[in-house]
Amino acid sequence: MAGFSHVALVEYEQEYCDCLKRNRPSWNVMCMDVRAFDGTPYCGHIDLLAGGVPCPPFSIAGKQLGNDDERDMFPQMLRLVGEINPRAVMIENVRGFLGSTFDGYRRSIFDRLNGMGYNLHVSLLNASDYGVPQLRPRAIIVGIRHDLFDSFEFPQKRDISGVTVGETLYDLMVARGRKQAGAWRDRANRIAPTLVGGSKKHGGPDLGPTRARQAWAELGIDGRGVASEAPEQGFDGMPRLTPRMLARLQGFPDSWDFGSKKTAACRMIGNAFPPPVAKAVGLQIKRALNSDLPLDLAV
């Protein structure tokens, strides 16, 4: 969406690989453990290395074991930066990564990236500032190689005061003729709580723990599960969201096909980096990499 062409995509879960190939058949999707991926053949040929390093080691919802967690993939990200030597690096993680608990580990990561030749820019971006009707703060690290003129700036916030859950999902809520959806839209007049994807260690799809479900209930949504279809014409009560609704709240286009399995779809959607935020950051990286050109000629 920001104009980059994908040379290679590495994904571990087979269902997620299938989803990527189903939606973008031309993409070079490598379904494998990133620890087995060799970046050296790509050295000197890549503008941007981007990755969403797994968040459980740093999430406040977990034990926050950081580099003591077997799921910590920052070492692999650093390895790939060294092997590929891209012009720019973008790493995404949860807000907890910026907390004082990880000051030492975070400093060691930044020192490694600086030592490999990158100027770093770090910020906490909220999805609701970039057109996504959801409270979703994420830590973003952008590195620009030292031999390039570094003009990178994080994207400006957008005014989306009129974007609410009700307005975003109204047409999907009335898709089967439900007449009470107007009142629901007026009630759901705020942005959504953070969507959660869960993991294989937990049960079926829902909208999070008790506190999160209470926040969804204030919007008139039943967060105890996910529905297969929109509420029918005579439905009375709090509706559940469908995977398509969740995807729209995450900023995915309606054309994106997540398959027919609710649990897998909800995990893919809930664990994703919202596309509008990724696009906003990606455009700024592209401009920085083309900083010797006028912005209207940058490609």
Side-chain angles (χ1 to χ4, degrees):
M1 292 171 68
F4 288 88
S5 298
H6 291 64
V7 175
L9 300 93
V10 182
E11 168 56 52
Y12 181 69
E13 298 286 350
Q14 184 63 54
E15 286 181 302
Y16 303 2
C17 294
D18 295 342
C19 178
L20 289 169
K21 291 296 292 184
R22 185 165 58 247
N23 287 278
R24 295 291 184 269
S26 64
W27 281 0
N28 178 28
V29 180
M30 301 180 178
C31 203
M32 61 186 297
D33 190 327
V34 70
R35 288 172 290 195
F37 177 72
D38 180 11
T40 53
Y42 302 91
C43 183
H45 303 292
I46 301 299
D47 290 309
L48 174 63
L49 171 63
V53 179
C55 66
F58 311 99
S59 174
I60 59 174
K63 297 181 180 180
Q64 291 196 304
L65 297 177
N67 57 318
D68 292 326
D69 193 311
E70 63 181 9
R71 296 166 293 184
D72 176 29
M73 289 293 162
F74 267 107
Q76 296 303 317
M77 190 67 181
L78 294 173
R79 173 182 65 84
L80 290 175
V81 172
E83 291 177 355
I84 296 173
N85 192 32
R87 298 175 71 207
V89 178
M90 194 284 286
I91 306 172
E92 175 258 352
N93 210 281
V94 292
R95 174 172 52 186
F97 174 73
L98 298 180
S100 59
T101 302
F102 304 112
D103 282 350
Y105 187 44
R106 189 170 60 249
R107 192 178 305 112
S108 70
I109 292 170
F110 292 172
D111 287 346
R112 284 280 306 279
L113 288 168
N114 285 144
M116 286 190 283
Y118 291 87
N119 296 319
L120 298 184
H121 305 262
V122 184
S123 186
L124 185 70
L125 302 186
N126 201 318
S128 62
D129 291 325
Y130 301 96
V132 180
Q134 182 189 164
L135 178 65
R136 194 179 188 87
R138 285 296 182 269
I140 309 298
I141 305 164
V142 173
I144 304 295
R145 214 167 58 196
H146 286 164
D147 61 322
L148 305 174
F149 176 71
D150 186 1
S151 63
F152 177 81
E153 294 182 354
F154 281 101
Q156 296 288 321
K157 297 179 181 180
R158 291 174 48 189
D159 178 14
I160 61 161
S161 53
V163 179
T164 67
V165 172
E167 292 293 339
T168 301
L169 300 183
Y170 178 72
D171 65 313
L172 298 178
M173 281 291 181
V174 300
R176 299 177 67 198
R178 186 179 181 228
K179 296 180 180 179
Q180 298 92 336
W184 172 83
R185 177 185 56 193
D186 296 340
R187 179 178 178 181
N189 61 351
R190 300 188 300 280
I191 63 173
T194 301
L195 292 180
V196 295
S199 69
K200 287 187 173 181
K201 294 182 179 180
H202 299 89
D206 57 40
L207 301 186
T210 301
R211 187 170 60 178
R213 294 178 192 178
Q214 291 173 346
W216 285 104
E218 293 175 4
L219 296 171
I221 292 170
D222 180 356
R224 294 173 296 175
V226 174
S228 298
E229 295 182 292
E232 57 189 9
Q233 185 172 355
F235 179 84
D236 184 22
M238 291 197 303
R240 293 184 177 184
L241 301 182
T242 64
R244 174 56 53 210
M245 295 175 187
L246 293 172
R248 191 180 285 186
L249 290 178
Q250 192 73 295
F252 280 94
D254 288 345
S255 59
W256 197 270
D257 179 6
F258 287 96
S260 59
K261 297 180 180 179
K262 285 194 300 184
T263 298
C266 291
R267 285 176 180 158
M268 283 188 273
I269 295 164
N271 287 323
F273 186 32
V277 188
K279 178 183 178 181
V281 176
L283 285 171
Q284 292 299 99
I285 294 173
K286 185 175 72 169
R287 287 170 178 167
L289 295 179
N290 291 279
S291 57
D292 56 331
L293 298 175
L295 292 186
D296 58 344
L297 295 180
V299 295

